[in-house]
Amino acid sequence: MEMEYGNHIIQSPKEYSLCTGCVSCEMICGLMHDGCIGPQRNRIFIQPGKIKEMVHTVLSCQQCSDHPCYEACPKKDKAMCLDPKTGIAYVNEEECIGCGKCQKACRFTPSRINLVKSKDKTRRKAKKCDLCRDKEDGPQCVKWCPAMCLALSDGPIPWEEDKKEE
Amino acid sequence: MQRLDGYAGKILRINLTDSSTEELSTWDYLPDYIGGRGICNKIFWDEVPKGVGAFDPENKLIFMTGPTTATGIPTGGRAVMTGISPCTLPEQYSYGSIGGWIGTVLKYAGYDGFILEGKAPAPVYLLIEDDKVQFLDASPIWGQVVSVTQESIRLAHGADIHSMVIGPAGEHLHRNASITTSNDNTFARAGFGAVFGSKNLKAMAFRGSGKIKAADMEKVFELRKTVGRPERQPNPPVMRESMGHVSNSFPHQWKNGSYACSPGCNSRCQRLLMDSKSPFTGGKVSQTEKCVSVLAFNYTYEHPWGASLFVLDEKNPRTLGQQKSFPHGPDKTDPDWEICSEVYKGDRMDLWGPDFDRGALMMELANEYGIDKWEMIIHYFTWLAMAKKEGLLTDLDFGMEVDVENPAFVRHFIDSMTYRTGIGDIFAEGMARAIRTLGKEKYGDTIYQGRVNQDGVRLDIPVSLEAAWGYSAHWQGRGFQSTPKWLWVANALNTMVNTRDCFNSGHMHVTPDDVRQFLADGPSYSDLLIQRVMENEGASMIKDSVTTCEWQSPDIVWHDMELQMYQAATGDDSMTKEKLDEFAVRSRLLYRAILMRNFGRCRDLEAENVYPFLTYPDPWGEVDTWDEWNDTVDRYYKANHWDPATGWPYRETWERYGLKDVADEMEKLGMLPSPGQAYQRKPDPSVRQEV
């Protein structure tokens, strides 16, 4: 069976590392990509735990191998592009018109693609996880998560490594 | 003032009386007042005159973030609220600080803070979404407990909404009522939940879509590697085998998690009690504890004294509790390890024995009704336990037998004061006021006979652990959190010029060398101790204004951490450590000006308010005499350049920090002393005069 999802950010089981809810991943994402922080700037999302539960869930782009977001883009290969090395879809913000079609095409609820909404149409941009493709040391949310809650699904996974050692 | 990064640039004024709003410019308060408590003090000074009470519509609650909030600078997510506190005795201007998402989301909505004023004609809650403010009917949620209110708001407005709400205690004007965020952070010690209630305000909900930019991103990342807990480490919940501090430990299996109180924090507080049983639903709940909460489970001994909270150095720059959770642990090669890690296990008090479920019940009721846990555990229940043992309660009708070890009584008593039924109506006024209504001499000052120190010596302690301004003891040397004299003298000074328990950001940090000098000088006569108290008060003001968290701040060895944070956020390189310290003094002076003008603060009031609790022995039998205490107060006022006769700053002192307008107003009020004014020390007020 063909793999449905590509290499993507995954959250540790809480027994290995409980997400503290610090949303550093969201903030780092905004800082690294946009140089600022805000709820429309992150490409990874913390869904706060229910009241009185305090167990939070990380929601990330699963890098679907059939990339419906790419297929939905009216400026395919200019705004939403495919990385020739990894095959993942990424946003070229120079070309993105912020129409939101990729966000709607995401098969997850809530959508894993964020959107900057602005009265100024030129500022409307889609924000989609590209695994920090321009960073040599990979996704920055993984690098900076203080609780080491995050990893790449195709990479060394700390909590799996620990199991092997046992 | 030119625009700076890090700020949203606007402050929202919300008038609940006529449902109107107005935007103020944050730049009008910069750079002199920084943010947080600094700007709050300035707004209150400008806008709230003498004569306003806590529950008057004219009282204003001022909420402010700092320039670090929502920038990714660690611990900058904290925020501050100020206003006239209903639980301070007498009512006075006070403050609280809080974690949670509200400060960050408010900045996303475009505001650095808000001012709440007036009184809504009927219960409302506010929905703030960017620049749109809605005053919504709160009648469907009025009467609901905290978690139900939060969940109702989430259901009505979406999972990404962030709220802060009051419970039934705030609605019934319980003077210790809290305001709670959706991640269990509270404004509790100042009783602002009751001010919400008095304004018919049940809740505030926020959603913002904007962005905040720090000036120096490289520096932000550097700070993320140096502030707080730079070592990245997994955070598994830990099954604990026992509950309680050193001396109150008892076997119990429970799950302990760590959590971050606010966005961007790279540390974690080990204060998450996971999967305990809810007394309301019987289901599992997780709740954040305060350090005081462990006493709810067992109060056989009072809280142990641990020097590492206060005595820090280069090798162990942060508290032992924190360092234990670091991968490397504390550095025991420290030549001063012995002095840094000293522990006194606490005096035996025998107030209530170990019972996890009863403790969880007490905490959960405080959470759901919205009541300050500190006052509930350390003032109400200690008093009930001690007064019962001394036979003081026989003439009072509590509706059932007083038994603090009986969960049914715990619930009955908390219910009665939350909903003001029966005798609970008296206690909803706050413990200090309740004792005065009942008769302080009998119900407050009677000596509890059950306090015994580690050497088996019985020591006096009154049945009410009231330390100052109506608040129960907190690091005041006796009764709860015993400390050596040098620390309780220092804390007494800090408390004296405050209006509340000042340990939200006011834990004093000193070095082992400092302690040696305090002891050589004698704690009551140490100029170094006075200097450290003043520095600590300044550090507290800076932390509450920049904003940051004192638990992540190794300030004793990293003196310019807040300056670096401020500069990274704002890009204001003209700010220096000296200017930041000047700001701290200016803001402290403005706080003092408010207390003088609005509440008549003066030396006699301050010295006499704090003194009585210092006359009871600490575990080592140490007390302060009236003369010792007044000598310390003299030194403290003089070091601040305040008149020792009145406790009022001189004109030169106001003007040195840019407060000429305040000096002019003080002159009009007859509160501007001349240097060299003679002072006749009053007789010891605790000595009864012969009739």
Side-chain angles (χ1 to χ4, degrees):
Chain A
M1 185 179 160
E2 194 181 340
M3 224 177 79
E4 196 175 353
Y5 306 123
N7 189 19
H8 59 275
I9 307 290
I10 51 173
Q11 179 183 8
S12 73
K14 63 178 186 293
E15 292 74 19
Y16 174 79
S17 185
L18 180 72
C19 171
T20 66
C22 70
V23 299
S24 290
C25 51
E26 293 185 353
M27 290 182 146
I28 295 291
C29 183
L31 279 174
M32 284 292 184
H33 289 274
D34 292 26
C36 61
I37 293 174
Q40 295 175 0
R41 304 287 162 167
N42 48 305
R43 297 139 183 89
I44 185 167
F45 311 86
I46 297 291
Q47 189 172 57
K50 288 178 188 164
I51 306 286
K52 312 298 285 183
E53 183 189 59
M54 306 286 282
V55 176
H56 313 295
T57 308
V58 176
L59 304 177
S60 62
C61 171
Q62 304 293 290
Q63 313 294 357
C64 305
S65 50
D66 59 347
H67 26 70
C69 52
Y70 165 79
E71 298 298 339
C73 178
K75 293 180 74 181
K76 200 156 55 176
D77 293 326
K78 286 183 179 167
M80 188 69 82
C81 308
L82 293 180
D83 187 308
K85 275 190 199 163
T86 61
I88 65 164
Y90 69 92
V91 178
N92 173 13
E93 290 197 13
E94 292 287 307
E95 294 286 340
C96 178
I97 54 171
C99 66
K101 288 187 176 170
C102 57
Q103 188 188 43
K104 283 180 191 149
C106 176
R107 56 167 59 101
F108 294 96
T109 305
S111 175
R112 307 302 157 86
I113 295 179
N114 211 341
L115 200 62
V116 173
K117 294 168 187 165
S118 173
K119 286 176 188 165
D120 177 355
K121 286 184 178 178
T122 63
R123 292 188 178 182
R124 294 178 191 170
K125 303 288 173 192
K127 305 283 174 183
K128 179 194 172 297
C129 174
D130 62 1
L131 299 179
C132 293
R133 56 194 289 275
D134 57 344
K135 299 282 180 197
E136 281 181 13
D137 51 354
Q140 298 297 295
C141 54
V142 176
K143 180 183 169 187
W144 288 89
C145 172
M148 299 175 75
C149 270
L150 303 176
L152 272 170
S153 61
D154 286 357
I157 299 173
W159 47 96
E160 295 295 336
E161 295 296 312
D162 277 8
K163 271 187 202 165
K164 280 180 204 165
E165 281 172 21
E166 282 168 19
Chain B
M1 174 67 198
Q2 64 175 29
R3 287 184 63 91
L4 293 170
D5 286 326
Y7 296 96
K10 292 180 294 183
I11 297 167
L12 179 66
R13 185 192 299 282
I14 302 165
N15 187 315
L16 290 157
T17 305
D18 60 11
S19 303
S20 66
T21 62
E22 179 193 359
E23 288 179 354
L24 284 68
S25 169
T26 309
W27 315 118
D28 290 345
Y29 300 95
L30 302 176
D32 285 355
Y33 293 99
I34 304 287
R37 195 137 62 96
I39 292 183
C40 290
N41 286 350
K42 176 62 175 158
I43 291 173
F44 192 93
W45 168 257
D46 288 344
E47 298 192 4
V48 184
K50 182 180 180 175
V52 176
F55 295 145
D56 293 340
E58 294 79 12
N59 186 14
K60 301 190 184 196
L61 289 181
I62 307 161
F63 178 101
M64 281 302 304
T65 61
T68 58
T69 310
T71 60
I73 294 172
T75 81
R78 296 194 65 81
V80 171
M81 186 180 270
T82 70
I84 300 173
S85 159
C87 69
T88 294
L89 182 69
E91 289 180 359
Q92 293 172 88
Y93 175 67
S94 193
Y95 59 92
S97 64
I98 196 168
W101 276 268
I102 302 301
T104 297
V105 176
L106 184 70
K107 282 181 88 165
Y108 293 159
Y111 300 105
D112 293 303
F114 60 79
I115 305 166
L116 283 170
E117 57 190 36
K119 177 181 179 177
V124 294
Y125 71 101
L126 298 175
L127 178 62
I128 298 171
E129 294 177 287
D130 293 329
D131 56 0
K132 187 177 169 195
V133 181
Q134 296 179 68
F135 297 74
L136 302 174
D137 176 18
S139 53
I141 49 175
W142 196 261
Q144 298 292 353
V145 297
V146 164
S147 67
V148 173
T149 305
Q150 290 166 336
E151 192 58 29
S152 301
I153 289 172
R154 213 147 88 149
L155 286 172
H157 302 292
D160 61 338
I161 205 80
H162 292 285
S163 65
M164 57 182 190
V165 313
I166 60 169
E171 295 171 14
H172 290 87
L173 309 187
H174 190 305
R175 286 180 184 264
N176 298 116
S178 56
I179 302 168
T180 310
T181 72
S182 40
N183 71 332
D184 227 3
N185 276 246
T186 58
F187 283 121
R189 291 301 269 147
F192 289 147
V195 181
F196 259 43
S198 76
K199 293 184 178 302
N200 272 331
L201 180 60
K202 176 69 174 172
M204 297 179 75
F206 304 83
R207 184 186 283 118
S209 65
K211 59 178 182 179
I212 295 293
K213 179 180 169 297
D216 186 344
M217 208 171 74
E218 211 171 295
K219 185 71 184 173
V220 171
F221 280 100
E222 186 191 316
L223 287 165
R224 293 196 68 82
K225 287 180 179 173
T226 47
V227 173
R229 178 184 171 135
E231 305 90 347
R232 298 167 68 241
Q233 196 185 11
N235 179 43
V238 177
M239 283 308 297
R240 305 276 181 199
E241 301 297 322
S242 67
M243 166 58 75
H245 288 314
V246 186
S247 40
N248 282 316
S249 175
F250 64 95
H252 182 80
Q253 284 213 335
W254 60 288
K255 197 194 274 186
N256 185 193
S258 300
Y259 84 114
C261 80
S262 55
C265 181
N266 62 351
S267 302
R268 57 192 81 146
C269 292
Q270 290 181 302
R271 294 284 174 206
L272 186 60
L273 193 160
M274 301 182 75
D275 300 344
S276 68
K277 195 171 112 184
S278 165
F280 288 95
T281 65
K284 284 182 177 178
V285 292
S286 297
Q287 51 181 310
T288 55
E289 302 176 278
K290 291 198 76 162
C291 54
V292 72
S293 301
V294 290
L295 273 295
F297 298 96
N298 183 13
Y299 207 133
T300 303
Y301 290 86
E302 52 103 328
H303 191 292
W305 145 252
S308 73
L309 267 177
F310 304 93
V311 188
L312 311 167
D313 63 10
E314 291 279 352
K315 279 184 176 283
N316 286 296
R318 280 184 292 161
T319 71
L320 189 58
Q322 286 179 311
Q323 294 188 46
K324 272 181 181 169
S325 68
F326 288 179
H328 50 71
D331 184 349
K332 296 181 183 177
T333 66
D334 186 344
D336 284 319
W337 171 246
E338 203 172 315
I339 192 167
C340 290
S341 62
E342 182 198 344
V343 171
Y344 174 77
K345 289 186 178 179
D347 295 341
R348 191 172 178 103
M349 295 290 279
D350 281 326
L351 300 186
W352 52 84
D355 184 332
F356 183 86
D357 288 343
R358 187 201 56 230
L361 169 72
M362 203 186 280
M363 295 209 325
E364 183 67 351
L365 288 169
N367 286 339
E368 290 290 19
Y369 291 160
I371 304 178
D372 176 19
K373 278 180 192 170
W374 197 287
E375 216 50 22
M376 179 183 283
I377 299 167
I378 305 303
H379 216 172
Y380 286 96
F381 276 92
T382 58
W383 178 81
L384 285 164
M386 290 190 277
K388 170 79 185 292
K389 290 189 177 189
E390 294 307 323
L392 303 179
L393 304 183
T394 48
D395 295 338
L396 302 178
D397 180 9
F398 283 84
M400 69 180 287
E401 187 189 348
V402 175
D403 179 0
V404 295
E405 296 196 315
N406 176 2
F409 174 76
V410 169
R411 182 155 195 168
H412 170 79
F413 178 73
I414 297 173
D415 275 354
S416 73
M417 65 174 181
T418 299
Y419 294 99
R420 288 183 175 268
T421 56
I423 201 168
D425 189 44
I426 293 174
F427 291 97
E429 288 298 298
M431 197 65 214
R433 286 174 172 82
I435 283 169
R436 282 155 181 80
T437 300
L438 296 171
K440 185 168 180 296
E441 195 174 333
K442 175 179 176 184
Y443 292 99
D445 301 340
T446 296
I447 297 299
Y448 172 59
Q449 301 293 327
R451 178 190 175 203
V452 179
N453 76 4
Q454 296 280 305
D455 297 325
V457 178
R458 195 201 68 77
L459 296 166
D460 280 358
I461 194 74
V463 292
S464 166
L465 296 181
E466 181 181 327
W469 310 119
Y471 284 85
S472 54
H474 189 171
W475 296 120
Q476 303 291 346
R478 61 277 290 160
F480 176 68
Q481 295 176 317
S482 299
T483 61
K485 185 169 182 176
W486 66 263
L487 185 57
W488 60 252
V489 169
N491 290 343
L493 286 171
N494 196 345
T495 305
M496 180 184 79
V497 289
N498 232 298
T499 47
R500 53 159 283 173
D501 162 357
C502 50
F503 293 96
N504 68 315
S505 58
H507 290 78
M508 177 146 150
H509 294 157
V510 297
T511 66
D513 281 343
D514 290 340
V515 176
R516 283 187 272 268
Q517 190 62 50
F518 302 156
L519 298 179
D521 295 340
S524 299
Y525 303 97
S526 174
D527 289 334
L528 182 67
L529 185 134
I530 301 285
Q531 185 187 327
R532 291 289 180 260
V533 169
M534 290 164 60
E535 286 167 0
N536 178 58
E537 288 168 342
S540 170
M541 186 62 79
I542 291 170
K543 285 170 195 166
D544 283 350
S545 301
V546 165
T547 52
T548 180
C549 158
E550 78 163 335
W551 296 107
Q552 310 306 337
S553 160
D555 51 8
I556 196 71
V557 295
W558 187 6
H559 300 288
D560 68 346
M561 184 190 84
E562 289 87 359
L563 172 68
Q564 291 189 28
M565 289 172 144
Y566 171 86
Q567 287 178 333
T570 64
D572 177 10
D573 291 333
S574 68
M575 180 62 78
T576 61
K577 174 67 178 143
E578 290 69 32
K579 284 186 183 175
L580 202 54
D581 288 340
E582 262 178 44
F583 148 76
V585 180
R586 184 183 309 117
S587 194
R588 281 179 55 219
L589 278 169
L590 207 49
Y591 179 41
R592 187 146 195 86
I594 291 166
L595 300 186
M596 287 167 56
R597 181 192 66 184
N598 290 36
F599 308 100
R601 271 298 183 98
C602 62
R603 178 190 177 116
D604 289 346
L605 196 60
E606 292 186 332
E608 290 176 25
N609 196 291
V610 174
Y611 177 63
F613 203 60
L614 311 184
T615 64
Y616 299 102
D618 71 13
W620 302 274
E622 294 273 356
V623 296
D624 235 3
T625 65
W626 178 243
D627 282 337
E628 270 181 325
W629 171 237
N630 276 278
D631 286 348
T632 310
V633 173
D634 281 348
R635 284 166 189 272
Y636 175 82
Y637 285 150
K638 284 177 187 168
N640 276 291
H641 302 285
W642 304 349
D643 171 38
T646 57
W648 298 335
Y650 302 117
R651 173 174 283 282
E652 186 214 345
T653 311
W654 297 114
E655 291 188 354
R656 189 184 307 156
Y657 295 94
L659 297 171
K660 181 180 178 303
D661 58 325
V662 175
D664 292 344
E665 186 151 349
M666 289 302 157
E667 188 165 23
K668 281 184 208 157
L669 294 169
M671 299 178 110
L672 200 62
S674 307
Q677 207 164 291
Y679 172 56
Q680 186 66 42
R681 185 174 293 175
K682 289 175 70 174
D684 183 348
S686 65
V687 176
R688 292 205 185 96
Q689 303 298 311
E690 295 289 331
V691 178

